[in-house]
Amino acid sequence: MGEILADYNGYDYKGKFWSGREYEDLSDRKAIQRLLPKQAKVFIDIAGGYGRLANEYLPKNYKKTIIFDYSKTLLADAKKEFGDKITTVQGDIYDLPFKDGEADAMLMVRATHHFDDLPAVIKQLARVLAPNGTLVIELANKKTLAKIFKYWAKKSDINPFSHEPSKLKELNKGNFYNYHPKYIEQLFAKNGLKIERVLSVSNFRSPRLKKLFGHKLLAKLESPLQYLLAPLRFGPSIYYQVRKVK
Ligand SMILES: C[S@@+](CC[C@H](N)C(=O)[O-])C[C@H]1O[C@@H](n2cnc3c(N)ncnc32)[C@H](O)[C@@H]1O
């Protein structure tokens, strides 16, 4: 069983993290618009924080929308902003407080890097997903082009080609994990989750490129590349749409 590595209670995630990351935000939004199902009875945004992406899924035809997170303060922010349009549920991903098959659509974005036990997380997600239900999940990719060059230039000793999760340490933060796409793809197969679509996202995550082109133009340039680069599993964020087949 994994442990809570990232406690966002009291952290100004919206103000502190998201300022200066408009390009990444637009890229995430484009990807989930492309991958989320049109209809669902019960939809859960897992580790959904303050509901950053709620404006993408609330207009959809979902009967019930739940934001699940560990942080009580982020959930309170979400409730304040979206009121009755959402239900908030607090808990730990390693012990999801939902019944087997309760949700027919689920989303999890920018959370895998916090989990030291991804097999246990995928098992939980697969348990809560209804047969034929859809999960859209973003992976913090270990095998990006930038990381490959860093390794070849001997600026990093993390081998991006090995399937083992890599453990990084961010300043003033807990551990931070990157995963090889093959690693999570094997977990999908093991848990009866069939990959339907893949996107490569935030491909231009570089302060220099953002300065040169501006966030909005960069997001526009990235749009077709989300499809084109997907087979290479190129970007720092790999998005999967998976369906529960058993
Ligand atoms: C980087 S934020 C992403 C939030 C949101 N998905 C987004 O993209 O804006 C990571 C989220 O994971 C949540 N989290 C971390 N560990 C968790 C755990 N063990 N169980 C549930 N949520 C957790 C944090 O509280 C935080 O809201």
Side-chain angles (χ1 to χ4, degrees), residues 182-199:
K182 278 272 166 340
Y183 182 81
I184 199 169
E185 288 167 24
Q186 279 163 7
L187 293 177
F188 291 150
K190 207 172 149 196
N191 287 278
L193 300 170
K194 182 173 177 281
I195 299 174
E196 303 267 306
R197 297 168 75 194
V198 184
L199 295 176

PDB file of all heavy atoms in Angstrom, residues 182-199:
ATOM      1  N   LYS A 182       5.480   1.877 -21.112  1.00  0.00           N
ATOM      2  CA  LYS A 182       5.286   0.412 -21.138  1.00  0.00           C
ATOM      3  C   LYS A 182       4.861  -0.102 -19.755  1.00  0.00           C
ATOM      4  O   LYS A 182       4.099  -1.067 -19.650  1.00  0.00           O
ATOM      5  CB  LYS A 182       6.593  -0.292 -21.540  1.00  0.00           C
ATOM      6  CG  LYS A 182       6.830  -0.317 -23.026  1.00  0.00           C
ATOM      7  CD  LYS A 182       6.178  -1.554 -23.639  1.00  0.00           C
ATOM      8  CE  LYS A 182       6.039  -1.590 -25.134  1.00  0.00           C
ATOM      9  NZ  LYS A 182       6.081  -0.441 -25.951  1.00  0.00           N
ATOM     10  N   TYR A 183       5.379   0.530 -18.724  1.00  0.00           N
ATOM     11  CA  TYR A 183       5.079   0.106 -17.346  1.00  0.00           C
ATOM     12  C   TYR A 183       3.580   0.214 -17.070  1.00  0.00           C
ATOM     13  O   TYR A 183       2.942  -0.733 -16.605  1.00  0.00           O
ATOM     14  CB  TYR A 183       5.893   0.980 -16.385  1.00  0.00           C
ATOM     15  CG  TYR A 183       5.726   0.642 -14.912  1.00  0.00           C
ATOM     16  CD1 TYR A 183       6.432  -0.411 -14.341  1.00  0.00           C
ATOM     17  CD2 TYR A 183       4.879   1.392 -14.106  1.00  0.00           C
ATOM     18  CE1 TYR A 183       6.286  -0.710 -12.990  1.00  0.00           C
ATOM     19  CE2 TYR A 183       4.729   1.100 -12.757  1.00  0.00           C
ATOM     20  CZ  TYR A 183       5.438   0.047 -12.210  1.00  0.00           C
ATOM     21  OH  TYR A 183       5.289  -0.242 -10.874  1.00  0.00           O
ATOM     22  N   ILE A 184       3.004   1.383 -17.415  1.00  0.00           N
ATOM     23  CA  ILE A 184       1.558   1.549 -17.131  1.00  0.00           C
ATOM     24  C   ILE A 184       0.728   0.730 -18.127  1.00  0.00           C
ATOM     25  O   ILE A 184      -0.337   0.216 -17.783  1.00  0.00           O
ATOM     26  CB  ILE A 184       1.134   3.033 -17.123  1.00  0.00           C
ATOM     27  CG1 ILE A 184      -0.206   3.182 -16.376  1.00  0.00           C
ATOM     28  CG2 ILE A 184       1.019   3.630 -18.512  1.00  0.00           C
ATOM     29  CD1 ILE A 184      -0.620   4.594 -16.063  1.00  0.00           C
ATOM     30  N   GLU A 185       1.236   0.578 -19.345  1.00  0.00           N
ATOM     31  CA  GLU A 185       0.466  -0.181 -20.340  1.00  0.00           C
ATOM     32  C   GLU A 185       0.337  -1.647 -19.910  1.00  0.00           C
ATOM     33  O   GLU A 185      -0.689  -2.288 -20.138  1.00  0.00           O
ATOM     34  CB  GLU A 185       1.110  -0.020 -21.725  1.00  0.00           C
ATOM     35  CG  GLU A 185       0.875   1.398 -22.263  1.00  0.00           C
ATOM     36  CD  GLU A 185       1.711   1.780 -23.474  1.00  0.00           C
ATOM     37  OE1 GLU A 185       2.147   0.875 -24.209  1.00  0.00           O
ATOM     38  OE2 GLU A 185       1.915   3.000 -23.690  1.00  0.00           O
ATOM     39  N   GLN A 186       1.364  -2.147 -19.251  1.00  0.00           N
ATOM     40  CA  GLN A 186       1.282  -3.522 -18.719  1.00  0.00           C
ATOM     41  C   GLN A 186       0.268  -3.596 -17.572  1.00  0.00           C
ATOM     42  O   GLN A 186      -0.464  -4.569 -17.433  1.00  0.00           O
ATOM     43  CB  GLN A 186       2.659  -3.984 -18.245  1.00  0.00           C
ATOM     44  CG  GLN A 186       3.513  -4.469 -19.411  1.00  0.00           C
ATOM     45  CD  GLN A 186       4.993  -4.558 -19.081  1.00  0.00           C
ATOM     46  OE1 GLN A 186       5.407  -4.379 -17.947  1.00  0.00           O
ATOM     47  NE2 GLN A 186       5.794  -4.833 -20.091  1.00  0.00           N
ATOM     48  N   LEU A 187       0.219  -2.521 -16.775  1.00  0.00           N
ATOM     49  CA  LEU A 187      -0.753  -2.503 -15.667  1.00  0.00           C
ATOM     50  C   LEU A 187      -2.189  -2.457 -16.217  1.00  0.00           C
ATOM     51  O   LEU A 187      -3.094  -3.081 -15.667  1.00  0.00           O
ATOM     52  CB  LEU A 187      -0.511  -1.299 -14.752  1.00  0.00           C
ATOM     53  CG  LEU A 187       0.789  -1.306 -13.957  1.00  0.00           C
ATOM     54  CD1 LEU A 187       0.931  -0.018 -13.148  1.00  0.00           C
ATOM     55  CD2 LEU A 187       0.839  -2.504 -13.012  1.00  0.00           C
ATOM     56  N   PHE A 188      -2.383  -1.699 -17.303  1.00  0.00           N
ATOM     57  CA  PHE A 188      -3.720  -1.660 -17.919  1.00  0.00           C
ATOM     58  C   PHE A 188      -4.134  -3.084 -18.317  1.00  0.00           C
ATOM     59  O   PHE A 188      -5.223  -3.545 -17.998  1.00  0.00           O
ATOM     60  CB  PHE A 188      -3.726  -0.785 -19.183  1.00  0.00           C
ATOM     61  CG  PHE A 188      -3.549   0.698 -18.939  1.00  0.00           C
ATOM     62  CD1 PHE A 188      -2.935   1.503 -19.902  1.00  0.00           C
ATOM     63  CD2 PHE A 188      -4.006   1.304 -17.775  1.00  0.00           C
ATOM     64  CE1 PHE A 188      -2.776   2.867 -19.701  1.00  0.00           C
ATOM     65  CE2 PHE A 188      -3.849   2.670 -17.562  1.00  0.00           C
ATOM     66  CZ  PHE A 188      -3.226   3.446 -18.533  1.00  0.00           C
ATOM     67  N   ALA A 189      -3.219  -3.761 -19.016  1.00  0.00           N
ATOM     68  CA  ALA A 189      -3.542  -5.117 -19.516  1.00  0.00           C
ATOM     69  C   ALA A 189      -3.869  -6.053 -18.353  1.00  0.00           C
ATOM     70  O   ALA A 189      -4.833  -6.827 -18.406  1.00  0.00           O
ATOM     71  CB  ALA A 189      -2.366  -5.645 -20.329  1.00  0.00           C
ATOM     72  N   LYS A 190      -3.103  -5.932 -17.280  1.00  0.00           N
ATOM     73  CA  LYS A 190      -3.280  -6.807 -16.122  1.00  0.00           C
ATOM     74  C   LYS A 190      -4.635  -6.586 -15.440  1.00  0.00           C
ATOM     75  O   LYS A 190      -5.190  -7.472 -14.806  1.00  0.00           O
ATOM     76  CB  LYS A 190      -2.160  -6.486 -15.130  1.00  0.00           C
ATOM     77  CG  LYS A 190      -1.781  -7.608 -14.232  1.00  0.00           C
ATOM     78  CD  LYS A 190      -0.551  -7.270 -13.436  1.00  0.00           C
ATOM     79  CE  LYS A 190      -0.633  -7.973 -12.106  1.00  0.00           C
ATOM     80  NZ  LYS A 190       0.288  -7.450 -11.141  1.00  0.00           N
ATOM     81  N   ASN A 191      -5.164  -5.356 -15.573  1.00  0.00           N
ATOM     82  CA  ASN A 191      -6.404  -5.002 -14.871  1.00  0.00           C
ATOM     83  C   ASN A 191      -7.619  -4.931 -15.797  1.00  0.00           C
ATOM     84  O   ASN A 191      -8.634  -4.329 -15.439  1.00  0.00           O
ATOM     85  CB  ASN A 191      -6.217  -3.665 -14.144  1.00  0.00           C
ATOM     86  CG  ASN A 191      -5.335  -3.807 -12.918  1.00  0.00           C
ATOM     87  OD1 ASN A 191      -5.799  -4.202 -11.855  1.00  0.00           O
ATOM     88  ND2 ASN A 191      -4.054  -3.526 -13.074  1.00  0.00           N
ATOM     89  N   GLY A 192      -7.502  -5.531 -16.977  1.00  0.00           N
ATOM     90  CA  GLY A 192      -8.650  -5.584 -17.890  1.00  0.00           C
ATOM     91  C   GLY A 192      -9.003  -4.248 -18.503  1.00  0.00           C
ATOM     92  O   GLY A 192     -10.172  -3.971 -18.809  1.00  0.00           O
ATOM     93  N   LEU A 193      -8.012  -3.368 -18.677  1.00  0.00           N
ATOM     94  CA  LEU A 193      -8.257  -2.047 -19.265  1.00  0.00           C
ATOM     95  C   LEU A 193      -7.632  -2.016 -20.658  1.00  0.00           C
ATOM     96  O   LEU A 193      -6.419  -2.190 -20.805  1.00  0.00           O
ATOM     97  CB  LEU A 193      -7.646  -0.953 -18.378  1.00  0.00           C
ATOM     98  CG  LEU A 193      -8.185  -0.885 -16.945  1.00  0.00           C
ATOM     99  CD1 LEU A 193      -7.349   0.051 -16.077  1.00  0.00           C
ATOM    100  CD2 LEU A 193      -9.649  -0.441 -16.930  1.00  0.00           C
ATOM    101  N   LYS A 194      -8.469  -1.798 -21.649  1.00  0.00           N
ATOM    102  CA  LYS A 194      -7.990  -1.827 -23.037  1.00  0.00           C
ATOM    103  C   LYS A 194      -7.725  -0.409 -23.519  1.00  0.00           C
ATOM    104  O   LYS A 194      -8.592   0.468 -23.391  1.00  0.00           O
ATOM    105  CB  LYS A 194      -9.066  -2.493 -23.908  1.00  0.00           C
ATOM    106  CG  LYS A 194      -8.693  -2.638 -25.341  1.00  0.00           C
ATOM    107  CD  LYS A 194      -9.756  -3.463 -26.081  1.00  0.00           C
ATOM    108  CE  LYS A 194      -9.432  -3.568 -27.551  1.00  0.00           C
ATOM    109  NZ  LYS A 194      -9.788  -2.380 -28.305  1.00  0.00           N
ATOM    110  N   ILE A 195      -6.534  -0.195 -24.072  1.00  0.00           N
ATOM    111  CA  ILE A 195      -6.199   1.147 -24.573  1.00  0.00           C
ATOM    112  C   ILE A 195      -6.984   1.416 -25.850  1.00  0.00           C
ATOM    113  O   ILE A 195      -6.917   0.639 -26.811  1.00  0.00           O
ATOM    114  CB  ILE A 195      -4.691   1.271 -24.869  1.00  0.00           C
ATOM    115  CG1 ILE A 195      -3.888   1.048 -23.594  1.00  0.00           C
ATOM    116  CG2 ILE A 195      -4.366   2.636 -25.480  1.00  0.00           C
ATOM    117  CD1 ILE A 195      -2.391   1.002 -23.798  1.00  0.00           C
ATOM    118  N   GLU A 196      -7.738   2.525 -25.846  1.00  0.00           N
ATOM    119  CA  GLU A 196      -8.506   2.888 -27.035  1.00  0.00           C
ATOM    120  C   GLU A 196      -7.810   4.004 -27.809  1.00  0.00           C
ATOM    121  O   GLU A 196      -7.764   3.977 -29.019  1.00  0.00           O
ATOM    122  CB  GLU A 196      -9.900   3.369 -26.627  1.00  0.00           C
ATOM    123  CG  GLU A 196     -10.689   2.352 -25.814  1.00  0.00           C
ATOM    124  CD  GLU A 196     -11.575   1.488 -26.677  1.00  0.00           C
ATOM    125  OE1 GLU A 196     -12.370   2.048 -27.429  1.00  0.00           O
ATOM    126  OE2 GLU A 196     -11.487   0.247 -26.581  1.00  0.00           O
ATOM    127  N   ARG A 197      -7.300   5.011 -27.071  1.00  0.00           N
ATOM    128  CA  ARG A 197      -6.637   6.135 -27.738  1.00  0.00           C
ATOM    129  C   ARG A 197      -5.488   6.647 -26.864  1.00  0.00           C
ATOM    130  O   ARG A 197      -5.543   6.549 -25.639  1.00  0.00           O
ATOM    131  CB  ARG A 197      -7.633   7.262 -28.000  1.00  0.00           C
ATOM    132  CG  ARG A 197      -8.742   6.824 -28.933  1.00  0.00           C
ATOM    133  CD  ARG A 197      -9.862   7.832 -28.967  1.00  0.00           C
ATOM    134  NE  ARG A 197      -9.493   8.995 -29.742  1.00  0.00           N
ATOM    135  CZ  ARG A 197     -10.172  10.134 -29.725  1.00  0.00           C
ATOM    136  NH1 ARG A 197     -11.235  10.271 -28.972  1.00  0.00           N
ATOM    137  NH2 ARG A 197      -9.792  11.153 -30.458  1.00  0.00           N
ATOM    138  N   VAL A 198      -4.486   7.230 -27.533  1.00  0.00           N
ATOM    139  CA  VAL A 198      -3.326   7.783 -26.819  1.00  0.00           C
ATOM    140  C   VAL A 198      -3.002   9.158 -27.408  1.00  0.00           C
ATOM    141  O   VAL A 198      -3.094   9.350 -28.621  1.00  0.00           O
ATOM    142  CB  VAL A 198      -2.078   6.865 -26.984  1.00  0.00           C
ATOM    143  CG1 VAL A 198      -0.906   7.390 -26.170  1.00  0.00           C
ATOM    144  CG2 VAL A 198      -2.392   5.426 -26.578  1.00  0.00           C
ATOM    145  N   LEU A 199      -2.636  10.115 -26.557  1.00  0.00           N
ATOM    146  CA  LEU A 199      -2.193  11.436 -27.018  1.00  0.00           C
ATOM    147  C   LEU A 199      -0.888  11.807 -26.329  1.00  0.00           C
ATOM    148  O   LEU A 199      -0.674  11.462 -25.160  1.00  0.00           O
ATOM    149  CB  LEU A 199      -3.246  12.508 -26.689  1.00  0.00           C
ATOM    150  CG  LEU A 199      -4.606  12.409 -27.375  1.00  0.00           C
ATOM    151  CD1 LEU A 199      -5.540  13.508 -26.850  1.00  0.00           C
ATOM    152  CD2 LEU A 199      -4.490  12.510 -28.891  1.00  0.00           C
TER     153      LEU A 199
END
